[in-house]
Amino acid sequence: MIAITLPDGSVKHFDAGVTPMDVAKSISEGFARNVISASFNDLTIESTTPLTEDGNLVLYTWNNDEGKKAFWHSSAHILAQALEQLYPGIKLTIGPAIENGFYYDVDFGDKTISEKDLKEVEDKMLEIARGKHEFSLRESSKTDALDYYKKQGNEYKVELIENLEDGTITFCDHDTFTDLCRGGHIPNTGIVKAVKLMSIAGAYWRGDEKNKQLTRIYGISFPKQKDLTEYLELLEQAKQRDHRKLGKELELFTFSQKVGQGLPLWLPKGAALRERLENFLKKAQKKAGYEMVVTPHIGQKELYVTSGHYAKYGADSFQPIHTPAEGEEFLLKPMNCPHHCEIYNSKPWSYKDLPKRFAEFGTVYRYEQSGELHGLTRVRGFTQDDAHIFCTPDQLDDEFKKVIDLVLYVFGSLGFENFYTQVSLRDPEKPEKYIGSLENWEKAEKAIINAAEAKGLDYKIEYGEAAFYGPKLDFMVKDALGRSWQLGTIQVDYNLPERFELEYKGSDNETHRPVMIHRAPFGSMERFVAILLEHTGGNFPLWLMPKQVSILSLSEKYEKYSQKVLDLLENDEIRALVDNRNETIGKKIREAEMNKIPYMLIVGEQEEKDGTVSVRKHGEGDLGTMTPKAFSELIQQAVKDESKEFNV
């Protein structure tokens, strides 16, 4: 007998050889019908894998991320089989599950496939799925695996196998199809009820531009047709909320080929929006004891060699700037932190002076590949709401918690209420990716976990996601469409203080190294505005809107009264405009609605006579008639309710 421990802590005993599906059936037949994947002792296995020893078993359904991963990975196999049947002689490479769906990279040789062909491939996939073919994993020797693909002439699979150790190679079979695979599949193809192939793109083999370009086909699948219908409706909503579309409509930003790819140009309305966001954070930072600094856009190459950023970004970033002086090289700065270290180094410090909190809205530059650029979310020049805290080890815990409070204040003020946190730690299997001693890494990681627990944060640990110089706490926000975005980040760093030889004199009169905290609640202004646009659909919080009120005059006769209302609102620091165009009031209202202006004030003969305005609210309609002063007080109270003061 073996002991199987389930996630709730209960232990069940079975004969050796029992499968995860057998265990599921012992719980209930209804539950077993929904089980599509499993893991045993943290290793992904099949639902039919025999269990021969004691261990921890987790059973996954479609409602688990791991279940979806197995579902979409299995769907990639079905896609590959359909492509082989429709396009004989193609060469398959890899087909993983991704965050939403799956893809397969294929070398079509002299054959071609286009978007119009995808419906035929979908139909073939559903035909295969209806066969309810079981997925079966089998082991293979390295010699047999190489022989199989050499006979096919598939150099891609041969290359993959050559990098694998003998004894670790497995194939997955279903129906007449077989593929090199590590495992993690649903029980049979019949569970896949709905498929949509989303797009076709080019992809270099192994992501290397020197290799051949393959055809990548993206798809998504579901256990119910209803799920696919809802997903496609969500995608349509996402198109309407696309920040690139809204940014153009609201005249916030633009791009120019002459200026360069990935270098956004902020238009007046967008610049004013950014300024309000900056002032909002600066006000909170001032209360929290931060001091603003300003650093240049470039620095000597040696600065980034010292920090480690040159080794990390140098080869793949903007190339050095050469000056007339022989051997002198500068770089566009990829990060602000080396500059802040040198600000700290500009004078001696005592433990009585710490913590020092230096903040800057600093623009940095990284040469992202052109194919990876995407609106404001992936650019080559972006401004970080950066700050670096230099503190004693004894102050680290308290300072980290204070930064958490600031991030939560930012999220609350901007309507991001659905989020979780991720503790991003180093990959213990790849120490070469990181700088610094193991002792310092362990101290930094422990500090982050302790702070997250003390603040009661809902967090999960992800190994291998740390920055190269230190672990971090990342805030993962879900927007109005349920999509996850990484926003604020806080990092603990023992390494840069060592590299820059930062010091302070302690109470023992000896010199010590400070600990450094990196933090950016917005992350970058560009990406934050993009996410905020898509989250709100352009309906920003009232305090942030470029224009809060549009005064709509029924005709030019009421221009003087409209101006009087405008002056009153502007005196109360309410952002308003007057629409005196010779257009119908209906058209003016429609355009104000399209421009997401929160409030419209209609001014005509009766309003001028009574000294009132007729109020409409965006998306809601008429709110009735009131005096301009009463309306101003309404707006001011609404702004006050939205933008609470930051309490230290």
Side-chain angles (χ1 to χ4, degrees):
M1 297 288 282
I2 59 173
I4 303 298
T5 303
L6 299 174
D8 64 0
S10 62
V11 179
K12 286 177 168 281
H13 293 86
F14 299 92
D15 291 331
V18 68
T19 67
M21 189 58 73
D22 294 331
V23 176
K25 289 176 179 176
S26 76
I27 297 171
S28 85
E29 287 289 339
F31 175 62
R33 282 193 291 272
N34 291 314
V35 169
I36 57 177
S37 181
S39 68
F40 188 66
N41 291 336
D42 297 326
L43 293 176
T44 300
I45 59 172
E46 311 295 292
S47 62
T48 56
T49 300
L51 307 178
T52 58
E53 60 183 10
D54 296 348
N56 298 305
L57 177 68
V58 183
L59 300 165
Y60 301 121
T61 69
W62 170 256
N63 295 323
N64 305 116
D65 289 343
E66 294 85 350
K68 287 184 174 70
K69 183 178 180 181
F71 193 95
W72 287 330
H73 174 58
S74 303
S75 299
H77 281 289
I78 300 173
L79 168 60
Q81 182 185 8
L83 290 171
E84 277 200 336
Q85 290 183 10
L86 293 170
Y87 302 90
I90 61 173
K91 297 176 184 179
L92 302 174
T93 65
I94 58 171
I98 54 178
E99 185 177 1
N100 283 302
F102 55 89
Y103 69 77
Y104 215 108
D105 285 349
V106 183
D107 182 348
F108 277 85
D110 58 359
K111 298 178 173 63
T112 59
I113 186 171
S114 65
E115 302 277 351
K116 64 181 176 61
D117 301 314
L118 295 183
K119 180 63 170 63
E120 182 184 15
V121 181
E122 290 171 6
D123 292 342
K124 177 61 71 174
M125 289 179 69
L126 290 172
E127 178 189 319
I128 293 167
R130 286 191 290 270
K132 297 183 179 179
H133 308 292
E134 291 186 358
F135 287 95
S136 176
L137 206 64
R138 61 180 169 85
E139 295 181 357
S140 171
S141 69
K142 189 168 185 175
T143 300
D144 288 346
L146 286 170
D147 185 57
Y148 177 78
Y149 283 114
K150 283 178 179 177
K151 285 180 179 177
Q152 284 192 2
N154 189 328
E155 64 272 24
Y156 307 102
K157 297 287 191 183
V158 168
E159 183 179 329
L160 291 173
I161 293 166
E162 284 175 341
N163 291 321
L164 299 175
E165 290 185 18
D166 204 354
T168 66
I169 300 169
T170 52
F171 280 78
C172 180
D173 304 319
H174 76 268
D175 190 22
T176 59
F177 180 76
T178 188
D179 200 0
L180 180 71
C181 185
R182 292 177 181 173
H185 304 92
I186 58 179
N188 65 75
T189 62
I191 298 171
V192 178
K193 302 291 188 186
V195 172
K196 180 67 177 175
L197 298 181
M198 306 301 296
S199 62
I200 296 177
Y204 293 105
W205 170 237
R206 297 208 150 181
D208 189 337
E209 293 182 7
K210 297 175 183 176
N211 291 332
K212 184 173 181 178
Q213 189 174 62
L214 307 172
T215 300
R216 175 171 294 179
I217 301 178
Y218 287 98
I220 197 163
S221 56
F222 295 91
K224 296 178 183 177
Q225 180 62 41
K226 177 175 74 75
D227 295 336
L228 174 58
T229 302
E230 290 175 354
Y231 177 76
L232 294 177
E233 289 173 354
L234 196 66
L235 281 186
E236 189 56 38
Q237 289 183 47
K239 284 182 184 177
Q240 297 306 312
R241 288 172 176 257
D242 189 310
H243 76 276
R244 295 167 298 178
K245 173 178 177 289
L246 290 172
K248 183 175 182 180
E249 292 173 356
L250 299 177
E251 299 179 353
L252 299 178
F253 60 87
T254 189
F255 288 89
S256 163
Q257 287 295 325
K258 288 184 178 178
V259 173
Q261 284 186 302
L263 299 172
L265 300 171
W266 290 88
L267 305 177
K269 290 180 183 177
L273 177 78
R274 275 184 57 143
E275 184 179 25
R276 280 189 290 279
L277 282 170
E278 288 186 13
N279 290 340
F280 156 75
L281 187 55
K282 283 177 180 177
K283 185 178 178 182
Q285 286 180 164
K286 187 174 181 180
K287 292 183 72 172
Y290 288 83
E291 299 171 280
M292 296 301 298
V293 297
V294 178
T295 62
H297 291 248
I298 63 173
Q300 286 203 93
K301 177 182 173 182
E302 189 57 37
L303 176 71
Y304 308 112
V305 171
T306 300
S307 69
H309 289 98
Y310 185 76
K312 180 71 175 177
Y313 299 113
D316 300 318
S317 197
F318 290 98
Q319 294 305 295
I321 301 165
H322 297 274
T323 73
E326 187 177 348
E328 189 174 53
E329 292 181 309
F330 284 77
L331 293 178
L332 290 171
K333 67 175 174 181
M335 292 290 260
N336 298 300
C337 31
H339 296 250
H340 290 193
C341 286
E342 286 302 288
I343 287 177
Y344 180 91
N345 252 343
S346 65
K347 61 176 286 188
W349 302 100
S350 159
Y351 73 98
K352 295 178 182 179
D353 301 314
L354 303 185
K356 295 301 296 181
R357 308 179 186 97
F358 298 138
E360 175 182 19
F361 286 87
T363 303
V364 298
Y365 303 89
R366 296 177 198 165
Y367 190 80
E368 302 286 356
Q369 296 297 319
S370 60
E372 296 176 341
L373 298 174
H374 182 81
L376 293 182
T377 60
R378 201 72 181 264
V379 290
R380 288 174 172 168
F382 54 95
T383 302
Q384 294 178 310
D385 58 317
D386 231 344
H388 297 94
I389 302 168
F390 301 89
C391 62
T392 69
D394 290 342
Q395 295 168 333
L396 174 60
D397 185 63
D398 189 49
E399 287 299 310
F400 200 95
K401 290 174 186 173
K402 287 178 180 177
V403 177
I404 291 176
D405 290 337
L406 181 61
V407 173
L408 297 182
Y409 166 71
V410 169
F411 287 0
S413 298
L414 290 160
F416 290 111
E417 298 172 355
N418 187 2
F419 66 89
Y420 67 92
T421 53
Q422 175 178 300
V423 177
S424 300
L425 306 181
R426 71 196 186 287
D427 183 348
E429 303 296 322
K430 297 179 179 178
E432 69 279 1
K433 289 173 58 179
Y434 312 99
I435 62 174
S437 70
L438 179 60
E439 179 187 4
N440 282 344
W441 272 90
E442 288 175 345
K443 286 191 290 186
E445 290 174 346
K446 184 178 179 182
I448 291 178
I449 292 171
N450 288 345
E453 290 181 348
K455 284 295 177 183
L457 297 179
D458 174 22
Y459 74 90
K460 66 177 183 179
I461 292 176
E462 289 289 345
Y463 292 95
E465 295 298 317
F468 73 95
Y469 49 78
K472 54 184 180 170
L473 181 69
D474 291 325
F475 289 79
M476 316 299 288
V477 173
K478 281 199 171 184
D479 68 11
L481 298 181
R483 300 169 300 180
S484 291
W485 302 88
Q486 189 268 313
L487 279 182
T489 186
I490 318 172
Q491 303 163 3
V492 176
D493 185 358
Y494 282 84
N495 293 310
L496 285 188
E498 285 192 359
R499 284 179 166 245
F500 282 92
E501 299 181 345
L502 307 185
E503 295 179 346
Y504 67 91
K505 186 165 287 188
S507 57
D508 57 1
N509 219 31
E510 297 293 326
T511 56
H512 301 271
R513 291 263 185 264
V515 185
M516 189 173 175
I517 298 175
H518 306 243
R519 60 103 278 218
F522 291 149
S524 84
M525 300 301 294
E526 287 72 15
R527 191 165 179 273
F528 189 83
V529 169
I531 295 167
L532 188 61
L533 261 173
E534 299 199 3
H535 177 57
T536 63
N539 297 304
F540 297 119
L542 183 59
W543 66 268
L544 189 57
M545 287 297 295
K547 291 296 180 184
Q548 297 164 315
V549 182
S550 181
I551 302 166
L552 310 180
S553 175
L554 284 174
S555 80
E556 294 178 0
K557 288 191 295 182
Y558 312 109
E559 184 174 347
K560 191 173 290 185
Y561 182 61
S562 297
Q563 187 62 45
K564 181 180 178 181
V565 173
L566 177 66
D567 291 343
L568 183 147
L569 296 179
E570 288 186 338
N571 283 339
D572 289 339
E573 297 185 348
I574 294 170
R575 297 182 293 279
L577 61 88
V578 173
D579 187 348
N580 270 331
R581 294 175 302 154
N582 186 24
E583 299 286 357
T584 65
I585 193 66
K587 183 174 182 180
K588 291 180 180 181
I589 290 172
R590 284 194 300 275
E591 290 186 2
E593 288 278 356
M594 287 176 60
N595 288 323
K596 318 288 186 184
I597 296 177
Y599 290 92
M600 289 147 270
L601 303 184
I602 298 171
V603 173
E605 182 179 3
Q606 192 64 46
E607 287 79 15
E608 183 179 45
K609 180 181 175 183
D610 297 341
T612 61
V613 290
S614 293
V615 183
R616 287 181 62 91
K617 188 174 183 182
H618 172 67
E620 294 185 18
D622 291 331
L623 296 185
T625 302
M626 61 186 76
T627 66
K629 189 61 180 175
F631 173 74
S632 175
E633 290 171 355
L634 181 151
I635 293 288
Q636 290 178 77
Q637 186 59 49
V639 168
K640 188 176 180 181
D641 290 342
E642 280 185 353
S643 53
K644 303 288 186 185
E645 290 290 317
F646 179 58
N647 295 316
V648 179

